């Protein structure tokens, strides 16, 4: 009798506990609001509506809702405010973020601040722009070498062999610039006559001026390959002004609306575009994988697409190239 | 196997019952409620997308109305007039209309804003909206979402509605009117529809092109798949699908007006979250019920089994022969009845056992009576032998005396079957006995009987004294040389009746006295048996305090003192 009652009491208690555990498990499932916090530090928060950053932020936010992540986007007022970004990164050493996604404003000067974050064992994910040293856990963006290689191959297709071609780069020593240039050179394989590379320093004005000079000095220049947004825009403006868009084939990098406008006008022949939405989306997705599983991939290539006048308005490309602007 | 106690059985069956009932109830109710919640949620979702469909249809109707208004303006049909002012008046009322454009076969394009530079590289005849522009009779052609590139350096996302412009005289197509709805309006509407936290809405047209999808870029990059074909197949029906490892519920509605299908995608796990909440509530309630009911079953089982336990304990007392108690009123009606009946039963049993005891005693007495009867024949044979012998010797006087005494002796001995006789009869009986023996032994035996006449009316058992007299003769005097003297006295002492039988015979050794007084049953057939029976009768009928005492001296004689109660008339027992 006593034994049986004991058995009943014990089994009741076990039942009770298992029910409680089951309920705990369910409520954990239900209460997913207390989730990971990911901080995103961009080059600047006030972005032109036309820039790819609108799509990147869209991708970040979409992933945040998809994966139930608390997202906090911050950054300095302007792109050029590198120290503003460094200040923000330094302040984050005391934050409770589970991961930090960074679009480095400068590939060298941000390194000390980032190292401090890494010492705190906060996972770092780079999107779009990386730091020089391979810091952090993952880098997400376009593979610059293959993109450069594609650009080179496109140029080979449009420009006759052994023509005079100029490469206009932005910042000397920048890893992005070097990788893209290497890709182009490998695609050429010595089949083009190259004019020594120009460096604009990252401003549209300088590249515009450089292009004008170049066109004036080398009248038989057949092609220009520009390595980033600013250089492409500057070169396009120069070509448009001189009205020789069809004589000099311009193949560039970047997908700003300005560049797309020049493609539509026929000034820029082709541009290598990124998939900014995917960069943002995969940034959050990768951060989450690192937080949850601790595994990280060194580099995720978000791919690139070649945009020209005939394919810029296809269904797929429209969505990648043109951000929706609310009025 | 050890049998379970009643209480255990009750608790076990109660707990089994409670557990199964609670489990069934909470499972079924949480299941039903959960499903109801799911239905409500999906119904809400369906209503939301229907609402969205209505709003979009309204927008499209509005765009169509606008197109009609423009077309009804006669200026429009004449390509040479500039309708720009008219267009900008119409559009100024609505911010959600991105632009109104008139495009003519001859290449003239008019927008609502004269400042806008027209994209010169445009080829009208390659544009869907121009080619498929609807006639006046049919529904307007509606494009999917696209980037409008008519105006240079502007790439707004729009949804376009187009109609033909027809020359009223020649009935020929002279151009088309395009009304562009800002796509952000649709996007905003879709984004605002909440289907749980993760659920979303997307729109496809009849050929499966995406009009709106929040993850459109992911789909184009193959980072996400969407069941667009299934949606178009299962028109206006809800279905479940597993996409990218997630269970989704698709519900869709297709508009006749636009040909678009608006699809709501809900995440099953989010839907189930409501059900899980219900499960928590039900499980909690179920647990409370379980604890409560278990407590009740414990108390109830105790209430039922406690009185039964008391009854059982009483039964154990009865088993040990205790009938001297009765139970108090116990528990509830049935058990109280049982206790009442139990009380009656043990009372009856007690009485029966008592009666049984009496009967047993009676039986013993009857046995003894039979033994008494056994004594008589030996004496009878001897006496009859003596009488025969006397007659043979022609001692007729003695023979007559002896026969008379024998007759007297037996009459008194039998005493009409009564066990109780008066002391007078006892005295007479002994006297007749001694008369017979005197006649047999002549001078070797002498006797005196001295019984206080006051005692004559007192009563006692018959055949109590005679065996001692017989003993004195056969064991005391018979073995002695010379004449024997027997003296019998009866008197009152300390309110008791005392008989003494004295002889001057061989006497008894101390060992013999001890042996006689130790009241051991002698072996059957030995001479001690008669005395043993007498003593037993005395003790049985009168109690332990009444007994027989011997005093004796070897070769001088023995005195037996028989102590009996003083009983006057009536029954002895």
């Amino acid at each position: 009798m006593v034994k049986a009652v004991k058995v009943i009491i014990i089994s009741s208690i076990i039942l009770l506990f298992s029910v409680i555990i089951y309920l705990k498990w369910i409520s954990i499932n239900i209460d997913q609001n207390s989730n990971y916090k990911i901080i995103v530090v961009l080059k600047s928060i006030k972005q032109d509506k036309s820039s790819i950053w609108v799509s990147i932020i869209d991708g970040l936010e979409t992933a945040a809702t998809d994966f139930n992540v608390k997202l906090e986007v911050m950054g300095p007022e302007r792109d050029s405010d590198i120290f503003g970004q460094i200040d923000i990164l330094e302040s984050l050493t005391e934050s409770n973020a589970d991961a930090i996604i960074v679009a480095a404003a400068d590939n060298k000067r941000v390194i000390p601040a980032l190292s401090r974050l890494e010492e705190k064992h906060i996972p770092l994910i780079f999107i779009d722009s990386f730091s020089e040293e391979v810091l952090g856990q993952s880098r997400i963006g376009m593979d610059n070498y293959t993109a450069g290689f594609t650009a080179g191959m496109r140029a080979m297709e449009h420009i006759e062999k052994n023509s005079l071609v100029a490469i206009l780069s932005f910042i000397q020593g920048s890893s992005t610039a070097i990788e893209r240039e290497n890709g182009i050179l490998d695609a050429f394989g010595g089949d083009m006559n190259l004019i020594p590379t120009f460096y604009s320093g990252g401003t549209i004005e300088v590249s515009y001026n450089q292009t004008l000079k170049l066109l004036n000095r080398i009248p038989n220049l057949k092609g220009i390959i520009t390595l980033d947004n600013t250089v492409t825009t500057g070169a396009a403006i120069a070509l448009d002004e001189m009205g020789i868009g069809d004589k000099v084939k311009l193949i560039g990098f970047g997908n700003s609306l300005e560049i797309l406008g020049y493609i539509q006008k026929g000034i820029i022949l082709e541009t290598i575009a990124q998939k900014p939405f995917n960069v943002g989306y995969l940034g959050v997705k990768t951060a989450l994988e690192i937080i949850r599983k601790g595994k990280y991939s060194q580099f995720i290539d978000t791919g690139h697409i070649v945009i020209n006048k005939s394919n810029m308005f296809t269904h797929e490309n429209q969505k990648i190239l043109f951000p929706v602007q609310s009025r | 196997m050890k049998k379970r106690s009643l209480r255990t059985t009750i608790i076990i069956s109660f707990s089994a019952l409670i557990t199964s009932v609670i489990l069934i109830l909470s499972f079924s109710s949480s299941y039903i409620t959960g499903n109801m919640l799911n239905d409500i949620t999906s119904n809400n979702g369906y209503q939301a997308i229907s609402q969205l469909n209505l709003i979009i249809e309204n927008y499209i109707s509005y765009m169509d109305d606008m197109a009609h208004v423009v077309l009804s303006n006669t200026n429009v049909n004449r390509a040479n007039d500039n309708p720009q002012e008219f267009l900008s008046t119409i559009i100024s009322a609505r911010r959600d209309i991105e632009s109104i454009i008139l495009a003519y076969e001859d290449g003239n394009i008019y927008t609502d804003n004269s400042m806008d530079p027209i994209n010169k590289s445009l080829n009208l005849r390659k544009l869907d909206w121009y080619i498929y522009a609807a006639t006046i009779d049919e529904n307007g052609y509606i494009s999917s979402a696209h980037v409008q590139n008519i105006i240079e350096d502007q790439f707004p996302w729009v949804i376009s509605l187009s109609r033909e412009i027809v020359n009223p005289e020649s009935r020929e197509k002279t151009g088309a009117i395009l009304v562009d709805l800002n796509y952000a309006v649709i996007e905003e509407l879709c984004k605002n529809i909440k289907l749980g936290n993760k659920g979303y809405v997307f729109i496809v047209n009849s050929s499966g092109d995406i009009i709106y999808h929040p993850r459109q870029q992911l789909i184009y990059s193959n980072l996400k798949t969407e069941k667009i074909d299934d949606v178009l197949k299962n028109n206006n029906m809800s279905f479940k699908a597993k996409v990218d490892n997630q269970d989704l519920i698709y519900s869709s509605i297709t508009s006749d007006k636009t040909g678009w299908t608006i699809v709501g995608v809900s995440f099953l796990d989010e839907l189930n979250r409501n059900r899980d909440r219900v499960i928590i509530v039900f499980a909690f309630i179920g647990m409370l019920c379980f604890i409560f009911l278990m407590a009740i079953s414990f108390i109830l089982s105790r209430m039922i089994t406690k009185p039964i336990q008391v009854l059982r304990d009483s039964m154990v007392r009865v088993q040990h022969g205790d009938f001297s108690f009765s139970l108090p009123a116990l528990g509830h009606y049935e058990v109280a009845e049982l206790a009442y009946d139990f009380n009656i039963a043990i009372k009856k049993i007690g009485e029966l056992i008592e009666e049984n005891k009496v009967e047993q005693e009676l039986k013993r007495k009857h046995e003894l009576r039979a033994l008494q009867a056994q004594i008589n024949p030996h004496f009878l044979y001897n006496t009859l032998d003596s009488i025969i012998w006397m007659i043979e010797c022609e001692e007729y006087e003695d023979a007559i005396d002896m026969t008379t005494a024998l007759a007297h002796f037996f009459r008194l001995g039998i005493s009409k079957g009564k066990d109780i006789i008066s002391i007078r009869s006892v005295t007479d009986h002994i006297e007749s006995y001694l008369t017979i023996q005197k006649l047999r032994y002549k001078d070797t035996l002498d006797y005196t009987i001295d019984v206080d006449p006051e005692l004559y009316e007192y009563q006692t058992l018959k055949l109590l004294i005679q065996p001692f007299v017989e003993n004195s003769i056969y064991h005391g005097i018979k073995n002695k040389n010379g004449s024997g003297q027997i003296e019998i006295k009866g008197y009152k002492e300390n309110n008791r009746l005392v008989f003494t039988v004295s002889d001057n015979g061989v006497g008894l050794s101390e060992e013999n006295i001890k042996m006689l007084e130790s009241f051991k049953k002698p072996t059957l057939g030995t001479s001690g048996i008669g005395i043993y029976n007498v003593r037993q009768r005395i003790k049985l009928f009168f109690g332990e305090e009444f007994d027989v005492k011997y005093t004796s001296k070897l070769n001088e004689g023995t005195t037996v003192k028989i102590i009996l109660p003083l009983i006057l008339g009536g029954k002895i027992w």
Side-chain angles (χ1 to χ4, degrees):
Chain A
M1 159 86 183
V2 178
K3 202 180 165 192
V5 170
K6 263 184 194 165
V7 168
I8 290 173
I9 290 171
I10 288 168
S11 51
S12 308
I13 289 168
I14 290 168
L15 189 81
L16 220 81
F17 270 97
S18 51
V19 168
I20 288 170
I21 288 164
Y22 172 62
L23 295 185
K24 259 276 145 60
W25 181 72
I26 285 183
S27 50
I28 285 166
N29 262 11
I30 288 177
D31 192 22
Q32 282 187 333
N33 298 328
S34 57
N35 235 312
Y36 300 116
K37 184 181 171 186
I38 295 176
I39 293 178
V40 182
V41 183
L42 299 177
K43 288 180 181 174
S44 69
I45 38 167
K46 282 193 177 168
Q47 292 291 349
D48 178 7
K49 276 177 183 174
S50 69
S51 93
I52 58 163
W53 291 100
V54 175
S55 296
I56 289 181
I57 292 169
D58 190 14
L60 288 166
E61 284 171 349
T62 305
T65 42
D66 276 8
F67 303 120
N68 234 326
V69 170
K70 217 170 138 193
L71 200 70
E72 219 172 281
V73 181
M74 41 181 84
E77 293 288 306
R78 286 172 292 111
D79 266 19
S80 53
D81 189 2
I82 295 160
F83 290 105
Q85 195 188 44
I86 291 168
D87 287 345
I88 289 167
L89 288 172
E90 278 178 345
S91 73
L92 289 180
T93 48
E94 300 306 318
S95 79
N96 58 347
D98 294 294
I100 297 174
I101 296 173
V102 187
D106 183 275
N107 50 14
K108 285 202 183 80
R109 278 175 279 185
V110 291
I111 288 171
L114 291 171
S115 309
R116 233 159 287 152
L117 286 172
E118 202 172 42
E119 279 163 25
K120 294 259 171 188
H121 298 291
I122 301 171
L124 287 175
I125 297 96
F126 291 94
I127 52 169
D128 182 66
S129 314
F130 317 127
S131 67
E132 280 283 88
E133 285 173 37
V134 181
L135 264 176
Q137 315 280 13
S138 280
R139 294 178 295 147
I140 294 145
M142 183 170 71
D143 182 346
N144 288 311
Y145 175 82
T146 51
F149 192 84
T150 307
M153 292 308 284
R154 297 309 299 165
M156 294 279 281
E157 192 147 308
H158 292 293
I159 306 162
E160 275 176 51
K161 263 189 184 177
N162 299 319
S163 305
L164 263 180
V165 174
I167 294 175
L168 303 187
S169 184
F170 43 108
I171 294 166
Q172 193 161 17
S174 141
S175 60
T176 310
I178 292 166
E179 283 166 20
R180 287 179 186 178
E181 197 175 340
N182 284 342
I184 294 164
L185 294 176
D186 285 354
F188 285 170
D191 287 345
M192 287 287 175
N193 283 328
L194 279 172
I195 291 159
T197 307
F198 285 79
Y199 296 96
S200 70
T203 60
I204 294 171
E205 281 106 322
V206 175
S207 74
Y208 162 76
N209 289 329
Q210 281 175 342
T211 312
L212 280 183
K213 267 186 217 162
L214 194 67
L215 291 170
N216 286 328
R217 283 190 200 156
I218 309 162
N220 59 340
L221 190 71
K222 287 287 188 296
I224 299 173
I225 301 176
T226 50
L227 295 190
D228 87 336
N229 242 332
T230 56
V231 189
T232 309
T233 311
I237 295 168
L239 280 177
D240 193 24
E241 265 182 25
M242 291 185 72
I244 47 167
D246 36 344
K247 275 188 204 155
V248 180
K249 307 272 180 357
L250 176 57
I251 290 167
F253 279 84
N255 37 333
S256 71
L257 288 185
E258 220 171 353
I259 290 170
L260 295 167
Y262 283 115
I263 286 177
Q264 190 168 254
K265 278 186 197 164
I267 306 292
I268 300 171
L269 192 62
E270 278 179 345
T271 184
I272 307 297
Q274 295 198 50
K275 297 177 180 174
F277 182 92
N278 292 5
V279 170
Y281 193 90
L282 289 175
V284 172
K285 199 180 170 191
T286 310
L288 212 59
E289 271 167 17
I290 293 168
I291 294 167
R292 281 189 184 148
K293 299 168 192 164
K295 71 168 186 191
Y296 60 92
S297 36
Q298 277 290 315
F299 183 74
I300 294 172
D301 183 10
T302 50
H304 59 266
I305 41 171
V306 179
I307 296 298
N308 52 40
K309 203 176 174 179
S310 59
N311 73 3
M312 66 187 290
F313 289 109
T314 63
H315 259 295
E316 282 81 355
N317 292 342
Q318 275 187 21
K319 199 67 200 181
I320 293 164
L321 299 172
F322 303 97
V324 176
Q325 304 160 53
S326 53
R327 294 190 120 194
Chain B
M1 204 187 99
K2 208 182 128 186
K3 283 203 171 171
R4 281 202 214 96
S5 77
L6 181 62
R7 189 167 184 213
T8 314
T9 313
I10 290 173
I11 291 173
I12 287 173
S13 30
F14 265 54
S15 52
L17 193 73
I18 290 165
T19 315
S20 52
V21 166
I22 286 176
L23 282 181
I24 291 168
L25 272 184
S26 25
F27 269 112
S28 55
S29 28
S30 58
Y31 178 77
I32 292 165
T33 320
N35 275 4
M36 250 159 64
L37 273 175
N38 278 7
D39 285 350
I40 290 168
T41 317
S42 27
N43 197 33
N44 283 350
Y46 186 75
Q47 283 189 343
I49 60 168
S50 313
Q51 200 70 34
L52 178 62
N53 184 41
L54 277 179
I55 294 170
I56 290 170
E57 281 183 349
N58 269 343
Y59 270 112
I60 303 297
S61 300
Y62 181 78
M63 286 159 72
D64 207 16
D65 290 348
M66 235 176 202
H68 276 288
V69 168
V70 174
L71 287 177
S72 62
N73 185 304
T74 46
N75 287 343
V76 171
N77 297 324
R78 288 195 300 273
N80 46 353
D81 288 343
N82 190 343
Q84 208 140 45
E85 218 169 300
F86 175 65
L87 293 180
S88 65
T89 317
I90 284 184
I91 207 171
S92 62
R94 291 291 285 240
R95 293 192 62 208
D96 41 17
I97 301 299
E98 181 72 34
S99 54
I100 303 178
I101 291 157
L102 292 170
Y104 293 98
E105 289 279 303
D106 56 16
N108 279 334
I109 292 173
Y110 302 99
T111 68
D112 51 90
N113 187 347
S114 58
M115 302 298 281
D116 290 338
I118 306 297
N119 178 3
K120 295 170 198 78
S121 58
L122 217 58
N123 186 352
L124 275 184
R125 286 175 187 80
K126 275 190 177 172
L127 297 172
D128 285 351
W129 64 265
Y130 189 85
I131 301 162
Y132 302 117
T135 62
I136 199 86
D137 316 311
E138 42 187 21
N139 282 339
Y141 167 80
I142 297 154
S143 74
S144 73
H146 66 109
V147 171
Q148 185 58 276
N149 57 347
I150 289 176
I151 297 158
E152 224 167 64
D153 291 332
Q154 283 188 24
F155 304 102
W157 277 88
V158 293
I159 286 158
S160 310
L161 178 139
S162 59
R163 282 191 177 279
E164 278 183 355
I165 304 172
V166 181
N167 187 315
E169 284 114 44
S170 65
R171 294 258 150 221
E172 271 172 19
K173 181 178 175 181
T174 57
I177 178 166
L178 182 72
V179 181
D180 284 339
L181 175 71
N182 192 332
Y183 175 69
V185 171
I186 302 287
E187 195 178 65
E188 201 69 25
L189 283 171
C190 294
K191 269 186 180 164
N192 282 340
I193 290 180
K194 291 274 172 235
L195 301 171
N197 281 330
K198 292 193 279 178
Y200 56 88
V201 167
F202 72 91
I203 304 173
V204 290
N205 67 14
S206 52
S207 51
D209 293 332
I210 293 172
I211 308 282
Y212 166 81
H213 196 296
R215 316 285 183 270
Q216 196 168 350
Q217 303 207 35
L218 296 175
I219 294 168
Y220 288 151
S221 313
N222 290 325
L223 291 172
K224 183 181 167 63
T225 47
E226 195 67 273
K227 299 266 176 195
I228 293 171
D229 294 344
D230 290 350
V231 167
L232 292 174
K233 250 183 265 164
N234 296 287
N235 201 5
N236 289 345
M237 282 206 309
S238 177
F239 66 95
K240 279 181 191 173
K242 200 175 175 77
V243 179
D244 297 337
N245 262 332
Q246 292 203 291
D247 288 309
L248 305 177
I249 297 172
Y250 285 89
S251 49
S252 60
I253 186 164
T254 302
S255 163
D256 294 334
K257 215 168 211 163
T258 58
W260 293 355
T261 302
I262 296 166
V263 188
V265 182
S266 309
F267 285 72
L268 198 64
D269 59 342
E270 282 194 333
L271 275 177
N272 289 346
R273 213 163 280 175
N274 286 326
R275 198 196 56 202
D276 291 350
R277 282 205 184 91
V278 171
I279 289 174
I280 285 189
V281 171
F282 274 102
F284 185 69
I285 292 169
M287 235 152 66
L288 282 185
C289 287
F290 180 77
I291 292 164
F292 180 66
L293 290 175
M294 279 309 283
I296 283 184
S297 83
F298 268 82
I299 292 166
L300 198 66
S301 67
R302 197 170 167 70
M303 271 168 71
I304 292 169
T305 52
K306 187 76 193 296
I308 293 173
Q309 189 67 37
V310 171
L311 269 177
R312 205 190 86 91
D313 292 346
S314 314
M315 212 61 106
V316 171
R317 273 176 82 181
V318 170
Q319 271 173 23
H320 290 107
D322 184 0
F323 295 94
S324 63
F325 63 95
S326 69
L327 290 169
L330 282 170
H332 295 272
Y333 179 74
E334 287 86 351
V335 185
E337 283 285 283
L338 198 61
Y340 178 74
D341 294 340
F342 175 82
N343 284 342
I344 290 175
I346 56 165
K347 204 177 151 200
K348 277 252 170 79
I349 291 169
E351 280 171 10
L352 281 173
I353 285 174
E354 208 53 47
E355 272 176 36
N356 193 34
K357 263 188 195 165
V358 172
E359 266 174 30
Q360 287 294 322
E361 261 174 44
L362 272 175
K363 253 190 192 169
R364 295 277 288 273
K365 278 167 194 165
H366 285 299
E367 261 173 45
L368 286 171
R369 240 180 255 170
L371 275 169
Q372 286 168 19
Q374 270 187 345
I375 306 167
N376 294 331
H378 296 281
F379 175 67
L380 182 60
Y381 304 147
N382 291 339
T383 310
L384 285 175
D385 277 345
S386 300
I387 290 170
I388 292 164
W389 179 76
M390 279 174 184
I391 291 168
E392 274 179 3
C393 296
E394 293 173 7
E395 291 170 2
Y396 300 116
E397 279 300 308
D398 285 353
I400 290 164
D401 284 350
M402 198 174 220
T403 314
T404 310
L406 184 66
H408 198 59
F409 176 79
F410 272 107
R411 196 172 300 125
L412 287 166
I414 292 160
S415 56
K416 297 169 187 170
K418 284 191 287 184
D419 279 321
I420 309 137
I421 51 172
S422 63
I423 300 299
R424 189 198 307 273
S425 302
V426 170
T427 314
D428 284 355
H429 187 245
I430 293 166
E431 192 150 19
S432 337
Y433 177 73
L434 281 171
T435 306
I436 293 164
Q437 296 294 30
K438 171 79 182 160
L439 285 170
R440 280 176 68 190
Y441 294 106
K442 303 285 182 186
D443 294 335
T444 53
L445 177 69
D446 242 341
Y447 67 90
T448 56
I449 298 171
D450 178 17
V451 176
D452 188 350
E454 262 183 52
L455 297 170
Y456 282 171
E457 297 310 315
Y458 287 97
Q459 295 195 307
T460 193
L461 292 170
K462 67 180 178 185
L463 291 167
L464 278 188
I465 313 300
Q466 186 265 336
F468 292 103
V469 180
E470 197 178 305
N471 259 19
S472 287
I473 293 167
Y474 289 114
H475 299 296
I477 293 165
K478 208 178 166 187
N479 300 331
K480 186 195 174 229
N481 297 325
S483 75
Q485 183 71 38
I486 288 180
E487 196 178 76
I488 292 155
K489 279 182 186 166
Y491 55 93
K492 219 197 270 187
E493 189 187 82
N494 296 331
N495 215 21
R496 285 177 177 185
L497 178 65
V498 176
F499 275 95
T500 55
V501 178
S502 311
D503 64 66
N504 56 348
V506 289
L508 293 166
S509 66
E510 282 198 17
E511 285 163 33
N512 282 340
I513 292 173
K514 255 184 204 164
M515 210 185 73
L516 283 166
E517 287 193 341
S518 70
F519 198 54
K520 268 185 191 162
K521 189 171 180 177
T523 43
L524 215 72
T526 59
S527 58
I529 192 82
I531 296 304
Y532 175 81
N533 280 338
V534 170
R535 286 183 68 189
Q536 201 166 25
R537 282 167 70 207
I538 289 168
K539 287 185 179 198
L540 253 172
F541 282 87
F542 304 128
E544 287 290 326
E545 70 259 46
F546 301 103
D547 205 351
V548 177
K549 295 259 185 294
Y550 291 85
T551 45
S552 178
K553 262 191 178 166
L554 222 54
N555 297 321
E556 280 183 23
T558 308
T559 301
V560 184
K561 192 175 181 182
I562 304 140
I563 304 151
L564 299 169
L566 269 174
I567 296 161
L568 198 63
K571 277 186 152 188
I572 291 172
W573 52 86

